[in-house]
Amino acid sequence: QVQLVQSGAEVKKPGSSVKVSCKASAGTFSSYAISWVRQAPGQGLEWMGGIIPTLGTANYAQKFQGRVTITADKPTSTAYMELSSLRSEDTAVYYCARGNYDVLTDYSIGDFDYWGQGTLVTVSS
Amino acid sequence: QSALTQPASVSGSPGQSISISCTGTSSDVGGYDYVSWYQQHPGKAPKLMIFDVSHRPSGVSNRFSGSKSGNTASLTISGLQAEDEADYYCCSHTNPGHVVFGGGTKLTVL
């Protein structure tokens, strides 16, 4: 049974950073990519970036370049998303999701078949 | 990267069929067969309904189908049921190596 279990809700001050974890059940990291997708209150889904844990290669949406870092720890099957310079507009539910990647380019292609439960990050002074 | 374009809302009566469109460009929807669709009920994580344009994951009802023509993909739900009422999002791989979602469509079952 594939499971992605995320860390708990966070409340942060503007200008600070947040790091959210996503622990995968055994075997989930093999041959898949892990992406991070966020959803602001009442808004749609937004892809932030992804990583191929077996390769350690990450790529990011242009909007978040320089502000987000996605990493993966293979021994613990845990992926992380760190977002810095937080502002109120970053208040959202953050999801990790397992997806496929193009083996020729090492890029995430979507096809997110398993999702974490979501982590609410609230940015407020 | 701009979001893919979806209608904000669609509606249908139980038993009817509806389609949701998802329009992109030759750099995303039109350029790759990597279009997926997600169903999201309030307060829940999204659920994969269609992947690679027209493939259904195991366990998803065959009332859900996907297709693509040019830069526009479509999700069709036949035999509408009350439990189909939810938000639906399309998603596509893009050039250069990213992923983009549509703005979402709220389906109301009348």
Side-chain angles (χ1 to χ4, degrees):
Chain A
Q1 174 75 356
V2 176
Q3 275 195 308
L4 299 174
V5 180
Q6 299 182 219
S7 49
E10 303 261 13
V11 179
K12 293 292 183 179
K13 299 284 189 190
S16 66
S17 298
V18 68
K19 190 170 187 177
V20 182
S21 68
C22 170
K23 183 169 176 59
S25 54
T28 303
F29 268 17
S30 304
S31 304
Y32 293 99
I34 298 291
S35 278
W36 288 89
V37 177
R38 79 176 187 179
Q39 186 170 37
Q43 303 300 309
L45 303 173
E46 184 174 34
W47 183 78
M48 301 178 67
I51 188 168
I52 302 168
T54 53
L55 302 177
T57 53
N59 66 318
Y60 307 110
Q62 192 170 359
K63 174 178 178 177
F64 299 100
Q65 282 276 2
R67 213 161 63 93
V68 69
T69 303
I70 296 173
T71 56
D73 182 64
K74 286 190 290 184
T76 61
S77 296
T78 303
Y80 299 90
M81 184 284 299
E82 184 170 22
L83 187 63
S84 61
S85 302
L86 289 170
R87 36 213 188 223
S88 58
E89 310 89 88
D90 294 318
T91 294
V93 174
Y94 290 76
Y95 294 101
C96 62
R98 188 184 85 164
N100 289 323
Y101 68 94
D102 186 322
V103 296
L104 295 179
T105 62
D106 292 342
Y107 287 139
S108 295
I109 62 169
D111 293 351
F112 304 120
D113 58 353
Y114 289 94
W115 294 67
Q117 82 275 21
T119 296
L120 175 62
V121 175
T122 303
V123 182
S124 174
S125 54
Chain B
Q1 177 64 51
S2 301
L4 307 174
T5 301
Q6 298 181 231
S9 63
V10 297
S11 62
S13 299
Q16 286 186 331
S17 294
I18 63 96
S19 288
I20 300 172
S21 62
C22 170
T23 302
T25 69
S26 58
S27 294
D28 38 64
V29 173
Y32 306 94
D33 285 336
Y34 294 138
V35 176
S36 49
W37 290 89
Y38 302 85
Q39 176 191 66
Q40 187 180 35
H41 287 109
K44 302 292 188 182
K47 175 186 176 183
L48 179 66
M49 306 303 285
I50 295 288
F51 68 96
D52 293 354
V53 176
S54 60
H55 293 82
R56 262 189 322 274
S58 173
V60 171
S61 170
N62 59 10
R63 297 186 298 107
F64 291 83
S65 62
S67 63
K68 188 182 83 167
S69 177
N71 296 336
T72 299
S74 297
L75 172 72
T76 299
I77 309 173
S78 59
L80 265 181
Q81 299 179 0
E83 58 262 36
D84 299 332
E85 186 163 294
D87 293 326
Y88 290 84
Y89 294 90
C90 63
C91 175
S92 175
H93 178 64
T94 79
N95 184 17
H98 295 164
V99 173
V100 64
F101 284 94
T105 298
K106 181 177 180 61
L107 169 62
T108 301
V109 180
L110 302 170

